[in-house]
């Protein structure tokens, strides 16, 4: 589970997998310029594996690293000519939290098509239109959408995708601007987790890329299982 996101990114690609002790490295033979390192099991960073791999892939210009020992990792990568650019966290639901579904949260079905057509959330860079998400995830059965509805008005939603095996992964979470800071995001996240567990699925939150999404995940009972760091060649 700690490196689920990397495995998903590599699905459908021709991949070379290298290992050194507990550490793993995935290299797409279609795009060897980007390498995925997984130092997720050791609390102390071991540079030996990294140096061995990079001897054969010195043209790589982009790294994605899953790691627990982040400070040592960042220092070492920078000393080898890479620039730290960004990070995000992976979360998995802590079953001990025992989240509950909220009566204001509904799981959308194809019968909600007319209601979805009435929704006019503002366009945001990097987030598909709500109608598109509905068509792909609900109609196309690629995942699903949980909506927070109050007085017949859809105030926010959490979309999720079918991941690997029995895992669901948060896709987008959005609350309309006038209704933010009312714990609607937390309610959506908690309901998502509770519903997924009731279906025998594992609720996962693969890319929490902002402090706001991190706080929402943590308040809903998710725990960080790994941090991911992007590096680019200087």
């Amino acid at each position: 589970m700690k490196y689920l996101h990397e495995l998903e990114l590599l699905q459908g690609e021709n991949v070379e997998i290298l290992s050194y002790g507990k550490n793993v490295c995935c290299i797409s033979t279609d795009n060897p310029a980007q390498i995925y390192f997984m130092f997720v099991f050791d609390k102390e960073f071991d540079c030996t594996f990294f140096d061995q791999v990079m001897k054969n892939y010195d043209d790589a210009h982009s790294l994605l690293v899953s790691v627990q020992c982040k400070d040592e990792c960042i220092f070492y990568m920078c000393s080898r000519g890479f620039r730290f650019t960004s990070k995000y966290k992976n979360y998995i639901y802590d079953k001990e939290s025992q989240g509950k579904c909220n009566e204001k949260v509904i799981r959308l079905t194809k019968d909600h098509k007319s209601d979805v057509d009435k929704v006019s959330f503002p366009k945001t860079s990097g987030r598909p239109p709500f109608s598109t998400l509905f068509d792909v995830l609900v109609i196309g059965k690629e995942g699903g959408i949980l909506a927070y509805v109050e007085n017949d008005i859809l105030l926010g939603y959490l979309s999720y995708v079918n991941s690997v095996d029995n895992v669901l992964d948060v896709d987008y979470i959005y609350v309309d601007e006038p209704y933010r800071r009312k714990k609607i995001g937390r309610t959506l996240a908690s309901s998502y987790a509770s519903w997924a567990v009731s279906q025998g699925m594992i609720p996962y939150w693969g890319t929490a890329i902002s402090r706001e999404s991190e706080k929402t995940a943590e308040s809903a009972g998710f725990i960080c299982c790994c941090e991911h760091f992007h590096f680019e060649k200087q």
Side-chain angles (χ1 to χ4, degrees):
M1 290 301 300
K2 288 179 181 290
Y3 45 83
L4 174 63
H5 184 68
E6 286 88 334
L7 297 182
E8 284 193 303
L9 288 174
L10 293 169
Q11 282 184 344
E13 298 188 24
N14 297 315
V15 178
E16 179 181 6
I17 299 179
L18 306 175
S19 63
Y20 179 82
K22 297 178 181 179
N23 300 318
V24 178
C25 173
C26 293
I27 303 169
S28 168
T29 55
D30 298 327
N31 182 23
Q34 170 131 24
I35 299 179
Y36 304 91
F37 281 100
M38 305 173 198
F39 301 98
V40 297
F41 298 106
D42 294 328
K43 293 183 178 180
E44 294 184 2
F45 180 66
D46 185 347
C47 62
T48 304
F49 182 44
F50 174 78
D51 286 340
Q52 288 178 339
V53 172
M54 297 309 293
K55 284 181 180 179
N56 297 321
Y57 292 92
D58 56 359
D59 290 335
H61 60 71
S62 178
L63 304 178
L64 177 61
V65 183
S66 299
V67 67
Q68 291 184 18
C69 41
K70 56 183 179 181
D71 293 336
E72 297 92 333
C73 172
I74 292 175
F75 177 81
Y76 190 79
M77 297 297 182
C78 291
S79 74
R80 290 298 186 271
F82 286 87
R83 177 175 58 89
F84 169 69
T85 58
S86 62
K87 74 170 185 175
Y88 61 86
K89 292 183 178 181
N90 284 173
Y91 286 87
I92 189 168
Y93 187 63
D94 180 6
K95 290 185 179 180
E96 299 298 323
S97 299
Q98 298 181 342
K100 297 180 180 179
C101 289
N102 187 287
E103 61 182 9
K104 294 183 179 180
V105 177
I106 63 173
R107 183 168 173 265
L108 300 184
T109 69
K110 61 181 181 180
D111 295 331
H112 292 100
K113 175 64 175 175
S114 60
D115 297 318
V116 171
D117 290 340
K118 299 175 184 177
V119 175
S120 57
F121 291 132
K123 294 181 179 180
T124 302
S125 176
R127 178 172 55 84
F130 185 58
S131 58
T132 300
L133 289 175
F134 181 83
D135 290 341
V136 173
L137 301 178
V138 178
I139 303 299
K141 299 181 179 180
E142 295 292 329
I145 298 176
L146 296 177
Y148 187 99
V149 180
E150 190 172 85
N151 298 325
D152 296 325
I153 301 175
L154 200 157
L155 307 183
Y157 67 87
L158 182 150
S159 61
Y160 60 87
V161 295
N162 302 323
S163 189
V164 296
D165 298 328
N166 63 329
V167 178
L168 299 178
D169 192 359
V170 172
D171 186 32
Y172 293 95
I173 182 168
Y174 177 81
V175 177
D176 207 7
E177 182 68 39
Y179 306 100
R180 293 179 184 176
R181 291 173 289 280
K182 298 181 182 294
K183 301 182 181 179
I184 292 176
R186 183 175 72 178
T187 300
L188 283 165
S190 180
S191 297
Y192 154 72
S194 179
W195 178 82
V197 170
S198 73
Q199 301 299 306
M201 306 294 284
I202 298 174
Y204 191 67
W205 194 315
T207 50
I209 58 176
S210 69
R211 183 53 193 153
E212 289 75 16
S213 57
E214 291 175 8
K215 289 172 63 177
T216 300
E218 291 163 4
S219 67
F222 286 79
I223 55 176
C224 180
C225 57
C226 196
E227 291 187 84
H228 304 265
F229 298 84
H230 288 270
F231 296 89
E232 298 289 340
K233 202 64 168 287
Q234 295 190 50

